[in-house]
Amino acid sequence: EVICIGSIIGTVILLLSIPPLTSQALEPRESRTVKDSRGEALTRVKRGWVWNQFFVLEEYTGLEPLYIGKLHSDMDRGDGSIKYILSGEGAGIMFTIDDVTGDIHAIQRLDREVKAQYVLRAQALHRQTGRPLEPESEFIVKIQDINDNEPKFLDGPYHATIPEMSEIGTSVIQLTATDADDPTYGNSARVVYSILQGQPYFSVEPQTGIIRVSLADMDREVKENYSVVIQAKDMGGQLGGLAGTTTVNITLSDVNDNPPKFAQRLYQMSVPESAPVGSAVGRIRAKDRDTGINAEMNYSIIDGDGRDSFDISTDPTNQFGIITIKKRLDFESKRSYTLKIEGSNTHLDKRFAKHGPFSDTTIVHVSVEDVDEPPVFDAPAYFVEVAEDAEVGTVLKTAYARDPDVANNSIRYSIERTSDPGKYFYIDITSGALMTVRPLDREEVPWHNVTVLAMEMNNPSQIGSVSVTVKVLDVNDNPPQLAQYYEAFVCENAKAGQLIQTVTAVDPDDPLGGQHFYYSLAPEAANNPNFTLRDNQDNSAWVLTRRGGFSQRDQSIYRLPIFISDGEQPVQTSTGTLTVRVCSCDGSGGVLSCDAEAYTLPTALSRGALIAILACIFVLLAMILLMLSLRNQRKKPYLCDEEENVHENIVRYDDEGGGEEDTEAFDIAAMWNPRGTHLGRFRQDMLPEIESLSRHVPQAAVAGAGIGGGTGGVHGYVLAKLLEADHDPGAPPYDSLQTYAYEGEGSVAESLSSLQSATSNADHDYDYLSDWGPRFRKLAEMYGKNTRNFTV
């Protein structure tokens, strides 16, 4: 109630400090005479009324417009001749003026937080003429603040993080609430902070809004998240003030304040003895209530009889300790191991060293399981050297394998055939002696890689293997040979001692000291009068002329035997032949000709004459080919008329015929008009060409060919055609049967169509076909003697 009184007193004081809204001019009136456009004298009087700032409370909620003040000019006589007008910010919208009395009212609710003051302009005009009586003046309407806005946390809700185990008083976060009221007027914008939720863990400073830790040793592993509610209240926190709240979510971050602990003091594991090195045996884990880097672990084997056989590593993702095999296990040698393993944190915090030690130990017992293992050889691989001239059956190496299991089963040996495709070796099945069964040749296969298998007799699926590398040593068993087929030439004008060829030799053998060849002429050519040989002592030799004056006419080819030997034991020798041709050369030694027959040709027959003869032969051949082509062109049949009717005919006969070209043997159009004339139609299926059987036949021939003197009709027409075909030497040499769409009248064979064959099962007599000539003899033989259905 003291606050209310104080507020009322403050308001009264403010109202009393407002000067009168209507006053006389503070300055004496001054007049100034001017003339208007009509020349009449006008007197301009200086403004005789003044005003100050107007004040109005915000958030007025009355039903009537809020009276703000009154404008009055000392020129106003109260007769309504003066009109007051208002302009500026909010004029006509927020504020109105009575143009007669000059009363100003607020017609809308005012909010200082929206706009704190309005600048308006007022003027007094003559109501009749609209002439300004006073200069336009400006005044301000200020909105007086009231406590109508609560404090607000603009950025809430808030999130903060502090380490667990923080000391009392540790700053968490600072909050700031904003009050839209006027901070310069009263306590409307004076904010005080308090905590509504979150005690006793946290507190807030009333003036600054800083949240601090108020409880020591808060443990993240007990409770990690806290929700704190903070209130901000204006009016200095006094009764009647407005308040706003926000939520602060506080999370405790982890520190390394918990040591790791194994869930068990003893772990039991087992592993088969056949497990490869590096494979996992099992895994253990020391649990740590901390998280992140504070829970990272490092595992190590600190004691036990398995430190040399096992190793342990840390899985960085799940912090497991993975136990792996360090070296090969053997059930028969050692059946169990004991490991003492320590798990310790890698990141320590000295502030919490009193909570330590930050490590823990456990015992792991590993049992080795027995597995039926394959035989094991006494060496991982064998290397053998053998001379290539070793006799068949020579023992190269005796492989030895044993069963590592307690049973110690018997072993049988064999060779993996894919490793010895040439089948050079054999191994004794019981002793493991590896021997040769074929002669070895270093020049053919210098190295052999043989895989020897050892198999348990009682369990054939258990097979061990070992690689045997056989190196075949060289023996001097190949004679040297000339490096290639040598053919040299010597000019007819060559001099004695002239070099004509350099020869070299090759030897597939590979002696330790390298190759060294010796050259000489064969004994039968040791005293050769024409050539000599010089050994250069560098595995090459020169062939030189011993004389000059060679002649192609006397002898055109010389064959010189060369004897070659190597320097190894046993010495290998061979004889090669060098062919030397005698050639005619120019003065510089260039070869002109090495063919002795060229000298036997007539001197008058030059190269140009030979070319002319060949050209004549070519022209004659071209003429012959042209004549043959023209002759064949004449025999080619003419193409059918494109406008000729095309019909598909079904031809059935037992003899081999002319194929598809039989359908062109007759012109079906002629059968529709037997007396029609068809000239210029030619067959395409015969060479030489003949006229088509459908060409015009004289009527006399048709009448004379009729059977029984019949005239006209298809019967006579066909007989005429048959007669003509029988005497035609160019007719096809095969029988053909045609189907005609027009049957004619008076046929002795009646209908040849198959359309009516289904109406009667009576047999037909085809003996009359024998009277139709040789063209129908085949049909008469087929159908004349035996009765059968005949379908055309």
Side-chain angles (χ1 to χ4, degrees), residues 474-489:
D474 182 55
V475 174
N476 191 25
D477 57 348
N478 293 281
Q481 302 287 341
L482 288 177
Q484 63 186 36
Y485 172 74
Y486 288 102
E487 185 177 32
F489 72 91

PDB file of all heavy atoms in Angstrom, residues 474-489:
ATOM      1  N   ASP A 474      74.258 -78.781 -64.806  1.00  0.00           N
ATOM      2  CA  ASP A 474      74.630 -78.922 -66.209  1.00  0.00           C
ATOM      3  C   ASP A 474      75.762 -79.931 -66.374  1.00  0.00           C
ATOM      4  O   ASP A 474      76.686 -80.023 -65.556  1.00  0.00           O
ATOM      5  CB  ASP A 474      75.056 -77.567 -66.768  1.00  0.00           C
ATOM      6  CG  ASP A 474      75.398 -77.650 -68.241  1.00  0.00           C
ATOM      7  OD1 ASP A 474      74.544 -78.119 -69.008  1.00  0.00           O
ATOM      8  OD2 ASP A 474      76.515 -77.244 -68.609  1.00  0.00           O
ATOM      9  N   VAL A 475      75.665 -80.679 -67.456  1.00  0.00           N
ATOM     10  CA  VAL A 475      76.717 -81.593 -67.909  1.00  0.00           C
ATOM     11  C   VAL A 475      76.959 -81.291 -69.377  1.00  0.00           C
ATOM     12  O   VAL A 475      76.006 -81.049 -70.130  1.00  0.00           O
ATOM     13  CB  VAL A 475      76.297 -83.066 -67.714  1.00  0.00           C
ATOM     14  CG1 VAL A 475      77.340 -83.999 -68.328  1.00  0.00           C
ATOM     15  CG2 VAL A 475      76.120 -83.376 -66.245  1.00  0.00           C
ATOM     16  N   ASN A 476      78.214 -81.319 -69.780  1.00  0.00           N
ATOM     17  CA  ASN A 476      78.543 -80.987 -71.158  1.00  0.00           C
ATOM     18  C   ASN A 476      78.134 -82.144 -72.066  1.00  0.00           C
ATOM     19  O   ASN A 476      78.936 -83.023 -72.399  1.00  0.00           O
ATOM     20  CB  ASN A 476      80.046 -80.704 -71.286  1.00  0.00           C
ATOM     21  CG  ASN A 476      80.381 -80.085 -72.643  1.00  0.00           C
ATOM     22  OD1 ASN A 476      79.543 -79.460 -73.270  1.00  0.00           O
ATOM     23  ND2 ASN A 476      81.619 -80.289 -73.093  1.00  0.00           N
ATOM     24  N   ASP A 477      76.848 -82.098 -72.487  1.00  0.00           N
ATOM     25  CA  ASP A 477      76.320 -83.185 -73.306  1.00  0.00           C
ATOM     26  C   ASP A 477      75.763 -82.698 -74.627  1.00  0.00           C
ATOM     27  O   ASP A 477      75.082 -83.449 -75.328  1.00  0.00           O
ATOM     28  CB  ASP A 477      75.226 -83.936 -72.538  1.00  0.00           C
ATOM     29  CG  ASP A 477      74.103 -83.005 -72.092  1.00  0.00           C
ATOM     30  OD1 ASP A 477      74.278 -81.773 -72.178  1.00  0.00           O
ATOM     31  OD2 ASP A 477      73.059 -83.519 -71.661  1.00  0.00           O
ATOM     32  N   ASN A 478      76.025 -81.459 -74.986  1.00  0.00           N
ATOM     33  CA  ASN A 478      75.530 -80.924 -76.252  1.00  0.00           C
ATOM     34  C   ASN A 478      76.687 -80.318 -77.037  1.00  0.00           C
ATOM     35  O   ASN A 478      77.460 -79.508 -76.495  1.00  0.00           O
ATOM     36  CB  ASN A 478      74.477 -79.843 -76.006  1.00  0.00           C
ATOM     37  CG  ASN A 478      73.226 -80.397 -75.390  1.00  0.00           C
ATOM     38  OD1 ASN A 478      72.396 -80.973 -76.076  1.00  0.00           O
ATOM     39  ND2 ASN A 478      73.085 -80.234 -74.068  1.00  0.00           N
ATOM     40  N   PRO A 479      76.840 -80.692 -78.305  1.00  0.00           N
ATOM     41  CA  PRO A 479      77.925 -80.120 -79.117  1.00  0.00           C
ATOM     42  C   PRO A 479      77.571 -78.708 -79.547  1.00  0.00           C
ATOM     43  O   PRO A 479      76.399 -78.359 -79.682  1.00  0.00           O
ATOM     44  CB  PRO A 479      77.994 -81.060 -80.307  1.00  0.00           C
ATOM     45  CG  PRO A 479      76.618 -81.590 -80.457  1.00  0.00           C
ATOM     46  CD  PRO A 479      76.071 -81.706 -79.071  1.00  0.00           C
ATOM     47  N   PRO A 480      78.566 -77.890 -79.750  1.00  0.00           N
ATOM     48  CA  PRO A 480      78.290 -76.543 -80.259  1.00  0.00           C
ATOM     49  C   PRO A 480      77.856 -76.605 -81.725  1.00  0.00           C
ATOM     50  O   PRO A 480      78.249 -77.494 -82.464  1.00  0.00           O
ATOM     51  CB  PRO A 480      79.620 -75.820 -80.089  1.00  0.00           C
ATOM     52  CG  PRO A 480      80.642 -76.904 -80.108  1.00  0.00           C
ATOM     53  CD  PRO A 480      80.018 -78.120 -79.510  1.00  0.00           C
ATOM     54  N   GLN A 481      77.022 -75.656 -82.117  1.00  0.00           N
ATOM     55  CA  GLN A 481      76.510 -75.568 -83.481  1.00  0.00           C
ATOM     56  C   GLN A 481      76.693 -74.132 -83.976  1.00  0.00           C
ATOM     57  O   GLN A 481      76.792 -73.190 -83.185  1.00  0.00           O
ATOM     58  CB  GLN A 481      75.012 -75.929 -83.512  1.00  0.00           C
ATOM     59  CG  GLN A 481      74.670 -77.299 -82.972  1.00  0.00           C
ATOM     60  CD  GLN A 481      75.071 -78.418 -83.905  1.00  0.00           C
ATOM     61  OE1 GLN A 481      75.297 -78.200 -85.100  1.00  0.00           O
ATOM     62  NE2 GLN A 481      75.185 -79.634 -83.361  1.00  0.00           N
ATOM     63  N   LEU A 482      76.757 -74.022 -85.329  1.00  0.00           N
ATOM     64  CA  LEU A 482      76.793 -72.682 -85.894  1.00  0.00           C
ATOM     65  C   LEU A 482      75.540 -71.923 -85.465  1.00  0.00           C
ATOM     66  O   LEU A 482      74.445 -72.476 -85.387  1.00  0.00           O
ATOM     67  CB  LEU A 482      76.875 -72.737 -87.414  1.00  0.00           C
ATOM     68  CG  LEU A 482      78.214 -73.204 -88.006  1.00  0.00           C
ATOM     69  CD1 LEU A 482      78.138 -73.272 -89.527  1.00  0.00           C
ATOM     70  CD2 LEU A 482      79.353 -72.270 -87.597  1.00  0.00           C
ATOM     71  N   ALA A 483      75.700 -70.650 -85.188  1.00  0.00           N
ATOM     72  CA  ALA A 483      74.596 -69.857 -84.661  1.00  0.00           C
ATOM     73  C   ALA A 483      73.445 -69.762 -85.645  1.00  0.00           C
ATOM     74  O   ALA A 483      72.292 -69.618 -85.245  1.00  0.00           O
ATOM     75  CB  ALA A 483      75.083 -68.455 -84.278  1.00  0.00           C
ATOM     76  N   GLN A 484      73.704 -69.893 -86.939  1.00  0.00           N
ATOM     77  CA  GLN A 484      72.661 -69.807 -87.946  1.00  0.00           C
ATOM     78  C   GLN A 484      73.175 -70.432 -89.237  1.00  0.00           C
ATOM     79  O   GLN A 484      74.326 -70.875 -89.303  1.00  0.00           O
ATOM     80  CB  GLN A 484      72.272 -68.345 -88.197  1.00  0.00           C
ATOM     81  CG  GLN A 484      73.416 -67.500 -88.760  1.00  0.00           C
ATOM     82  CD  GLN A 484      73.052 -66.029 -88.869  1.00  0.00           C
ATOM     83  OE1 GLN A 484      72.346 -65.505 -88.034  1.00  0.00           O
ATOM     84  NE2 GLN A 484      73.534 -65.379 -89.906  1.00  0.00           N
ATOM     85  N   TYR A 485      72.267 -70.478 -90.184  1.00  0.00           N
ATOM     86  CA  TYR A 485      72.694 -70.972 -91.501  1.00  0.00           C
ATOM     87  C   TYR A 485      73.417 -69.827 -92.204  1.00  0.00           C
ATOM     88  O   TYR A 485      72.842 -68.774 -92.478  1.00  0.00           O
ATOM     89  CB  TYR A 485      71.488 -71.420 -92.322  1.00  0.00           C
ATOM     90  CG  TYR A 485      71.834 -71.759 -93.753  1.00  0.00           C
ATOM     91  CD1 TYR A 485      72.501 -72.932 -94.067  1.00  0.00           C
ATOM     92  CD2 TYR A 485      71.492 -70.876 -94.780  1.00  0.00           C
ATOM     93  CE1 TYR A 485      72.816 -73.228 -95.382  1.00  0.00           C
ATOM     94  CE2 TYR A 485      71.798 -71.166 -96.091  1.00  0.00           C
ATOM     95  CZ  TYR A 485      72.467 -72.348 -96.385  1.00  0.00           C
ATOM     96  OH  TYR A 485      72.790 -72.650 -97.694  1.00  0.00           O
ATOM     97  N   TYR A 486      74.685 -70.065 -92.455  1.00  0.00           N
ATOM     98  CA  TYR A 486      75.507 -69.025 -93.058  1.00  0.00           C
ATOM     99  C   TYR A 486      75.597 -69.252 -94.551  1.00  0.00           C
ATOM    100  O   TYR A 486      75.836 -70.377 -95.017  1.00  0.00           O
ATOM    101  CB  TYR A 486      76.914 -69.023 -92.456  1.00  0.00           C
ATOM    102  CG  TYR A 486      76.963 -68.488 -91.035  1.00  0.00           C
ATOM    103  CD1 TYR A 486      77.054 -69.358 -89.959  1.00  0.00           C
ATOM    104  CD2 TYR A 486      76.918 -67.122 -90.790  1.00  0.00           C
ATOM    105  CE1 TYR A 486      77.090 -68.887 -88.653  1.00  0.00           C
ATOM    106  CE2 TYR A 486      76.966 -66.637 -89.487  1.00  0.00           C
ATOM    107  CZ  TYR A 486      77.052 -67.516 -88.424  1.00  0.00           C
ATOM    108  OH  TYR A 486      77.096 -67.037 -87.159  1.00  0.00           O
ATOM    109  N   GLU A 487      75.423 -68.178 -95.324  1.00  0.00           N
ATOM    110  CA  GLU A 487      75.610 -68.192 -96.778  1.00  0.00           C
ATOM    111  C   GLU A 487      76.316 -66.900 -97.151  1.00  0.00           C
ATOM    112  O   GLU A 487      75.757 -65.808 -96.997  1.00  0.00           O
ATOM    113  CB  GLU A 487      74.272 -68.300 -97.498  1.00  0.00           C
ATOM    114  CG  GLU A 487      74.444 -68.451 -99.006  1.00  0.00           C
ATOM    115  CD  GLU A 487      73.115 -68.638 -99.718  1.00  0.00           C
ATOM    116  OE1 GLU A 487      72.110 -68.074 -99.243  1.00  0.00           O
ATOM    117  OE2 GLU A 487      73.075 -69.338-100.737  1.00  0.00           O
ATOM    118  N   ALA A 488      77.540 -67.049 -97.608  1.00  0.00           N
ATOM    119  CA  ALA A 488      78.362 -65.890 -97.947  1.00  0.00           C
ATOM    120  C   ALA A 488      78.555 -65.816 -99.461  1.00  0.00           C
ATOM    121  O   ALA A 488      78.155 -66.718-100.204  1.00  0.00           O
ATOM    122  CB  ALA A 488      79.712 -65.972 -97.237  1.00  0.00           C
ATOM    123  N   PHE A 489      79.122 -64.734 -99.919  1.00  0.00           N
ATOM    124  CA  PHE A 489      79.450 -64.591-101.356  1.00  0.00           C
ATOM    125  C   PHE A 489      80.865 -64.051-101.479  1.00  0.00           C
ATOM    126  O   PHE A 489      81.372 -63.359-100.577  1.00  0.00           O
ATOM    127  CB  PHE A 489      78.444 -63.676-102.047  1.00  0.00           C
ATOM    128  CG  PHE A 489      78.589 -62.223-101.675  1.00  0.00           C
ATOM    129  CD1 PHE A 489      79.410 -61.366-102.416  1.00  0.00           C
ATOM    130  CD2 PHE A 489      77.932 -61.707-100.568  1.00  0.00           C
ATOM    131  CE1 PHE A 489      79.547 -60.047-102.047  1.00  0.00           C
ATOM    132  CE2 PHE A 489      78.062 -60.381-100.213  1.00  0.00           C
ATOM    133  CZ  PHE A 489      78.865 -59.537-100.962  1.00  0.00           C
TER     134      PHE A 489
END
